[in-house]
Amino acid sequence: MWGAGLGRGEEKGEAHGTNSTWEFIVKIAVTITYFINPSLPQTSSLQRVPLILVMATQAKTTLISLVGKPGSGKGTYGALLASRYRNLTFLSVGDVLRDSAKRNETLRRVLTSGKLVDDTIVNEAVIESLQEENLQQLKAQHSIDSDAKVFNDGGEHVILDGFPRTDAQTKLLSKWPSSLEPALAIYFDVPDDIVITKLLGRRKCTICGGNFNINGVEQDGWDMPPLLPKNGCKEKCDWDIHWEKRDDDTADIIKERMQVFRQETEPVLESWSDSNRLVTFVPYKGVKEMDRLAGVLENYFHKHSLT
């Protein structure tokens, strides 16, 4: 399987100030860059100053990609990690696309088929979500533990769930400035039969918005109990009525998605491994492994002198 070592990526440069002069300079640089290479990712208007300005004007920003088969728990682990650190934001690309699909029938059909969305659309969705105002909205949507820590580098860091997941997305990402490429990928290595069981048990509450899982796994060293609400939801929500399955969580579509993962995403893992930026994490006990997973993240920041 892919390498489990933490590779030392390119060091981030020292932060620049966020004064208007620097922002003006970056705006000009972005405009010139797009004029020279229009294939670079951009939003519909440079006036909004896309991802480049947001990242460049912060002290330090690290993008961390979560990779894994459908049902491996990326979304759950990403949200829980973000709740532990005040300057860590969780961005689920799947959630962004599903939200867009509510207003786009063509996109909805692609998502419910188990196939991957067009890479350019995904790339644009990530850039749009990384706009400063959208990151703030995402942060406001997630709960933060009362004893949450802070990475003491002064930056705002982002966990990406579901990007990049194809070779084409990786090539699009390579057109971003090198300092904005994800510095680390964490691969959640979970066997097929276990992720299928967990996928069939996924539920989302339409009242409180919580994500839960009614299926548990206890076999071959794996101990992953059902993920149920700790408090509150049962009083407000009728689980039989308000808990819904995702449209793509059916046996046939799950089989299609697993095949897509092997064809499209496994080569991306090879690329991460070759660049020494891949950590393989085996969550034998599900969310009970959060301390160990947080340790992986803290170890990375410590090695890169960011804590």
Side-chain angles (χ1 to χ4, degrees):
M1 192 49 71
W2 296 276
L6 274 169
R8 185 175 179 86
E10 182 180 353
E11 291 288 341
K12 301 289 188 296
E14 290 301 314
H16 292 267
T18 58
N19 57 68
S20 58
T21 301
W22 169 242
E23 293 188 2
F24 175 77
I25 292 172
V26 174
K27 253 187 175 181
I28 296 298
V30 170
T31 304
I32 294 172
T33 301
Y34 286 146
F35 179 79
I36 295 172
N37 187 355
S39 65
L40 279 171
Q42 56 183 306
T43 57
S44 58
S45 171
L46 280 175
Q47 290 180 347
R48 297 190 61 191
V49 194
L51 172 65
I52 295 174
L53 178 59
V54 175
M55 300 305 185
T57 57
Q58 290 174 348
K60 290 179 181 177
T61 299
T62 302
L63 301 185
I64 298 166
S65 181
L66 304 185
V67 189
K69 299 170 187 171
S72 60
K74 303 185 302 298
T76 298
Y77 300 127
L80 289 173
L81 278 173
S83 72
R84 289 183 171 220
Y85 302 96
R86 297 186 183 279
N87 54 341
L88 186 62
T89 302
F90 173 60
L91 170 57
S92 169
V93 178
D95 285 350
V96 171
L97 294 174
R98 282 186 287 274
D99 183 65
S100 298
K102 295 175 183 177
R103 302 174 294 279
N104 186 320
E105 179 62 23
T106 300
L107 179 57
R108 190 192 71 80
R109 286 198 297 268
V110 173
L111 289 174
T112 56
S113 72
K115 296 181 171 58
L116 293 180
V117 178
D118 179 80
D119 295 303
T120 302
I121 293 175
V122 175
N123 190 58
E124 290 294 326
V126 172
I127 294 169
E128 179 71 15
S129 298
L130 285 169
Q131 295 286 339
E132 187 171 20
E133 66 271 23
N134 292 333
L135 283 179
Q136 292 302 319
Q137 291 177 11
L138 283 172
K139 184 178 286 292
Q141 292 171 9
H142 291 95
S143 61
I144 299 178
D145 297 344
S146 59
D147 59 347
K149 301 178 182 179
V150 175
F151 294 117
N152 296 322
D153 62 309
E156 284 290 334
H157 309 303
V158 181
I159 292 179
L160 293 172
D161 167 17
F163 184 84
R165 66 171 57 185
T166 70
D167 182 60
Q169 289 175 15
T170 302
K171 290 178 180 177
L172 285 169
L173 183 62
S174 70
K175 296 181 182 296
W176 296 13
S178 60
S179 61
L180 301 183
E181 291 187 29
L184 176 70
I186 301 177
Y187 169 56
F188 295 95
D189 188 7
V190 184
D192 288 7
D193 59 333
I194 291 178
V195 297
I196 290 172
T197 297
K198 298 301 286 185
L199 282 170
L200 292 173
R202 292 201 297 197
R203 299 292 186 273
K204 185 178 183 69
C205 182
T206 59
I207 301 298
C208 69
N211 291 292
F212 308 110
N213 200 302
I214 63 174
N215 287 347
V217 173
E218 190 173 352
Q219 65 181 62
D220 303 326
W222 292 84
D223 179 14
M224 306 173 74
L227 184 62
L228 303 175
K230 294 181 179 179
N231 53 52
C233 186
K234 184 58 178 176
E235 286 96 25
K236 296 182 293 184
C237 317
D238 185 326
W239 298 358
D240 294 328
I241 297 175
H242 299 129
W243 281 22
E244 295 183 346
K245 292 182 64 174
R246 276 174 37 178
D247 292 340
D248 55 349
D249 281 346
T250 66
D252 289 342
I253 295 178
I254 289 171
K255 182 178 179 181
E256 170 72 19
R257 293 171 67 199
M258 297 292 283
Q259 182 63 26
V260 168
F261 176 84
R262 282 187 281 271
Q263 292 177 345
E264 299 285 353
T265 308
E266 286 190 352
V268 177
L269 291 175
E270 296 287 357
S271 175
W272 283 113
S273 181
D274 290 344
S275 62
N276 233 6
R277 291 181 290 169
L278 182 69
V279 173
T280 296
F281 187 83
V282 184
Y284 285 108
K285 298 185 182 299
V287 294
K288 290 184 285 188
E289 300 273 19
M290 283 307 303
D291 286 345
R292 188 163 65 90
L293 178 59
V296 170
L297 198 60
E298 290 182 7
N299 183 55
Y300 172 81
F301 280 113
H302 178 71
K303 285 187 175 181
H304 288 72
S305 301
L306 293 179
T307 52

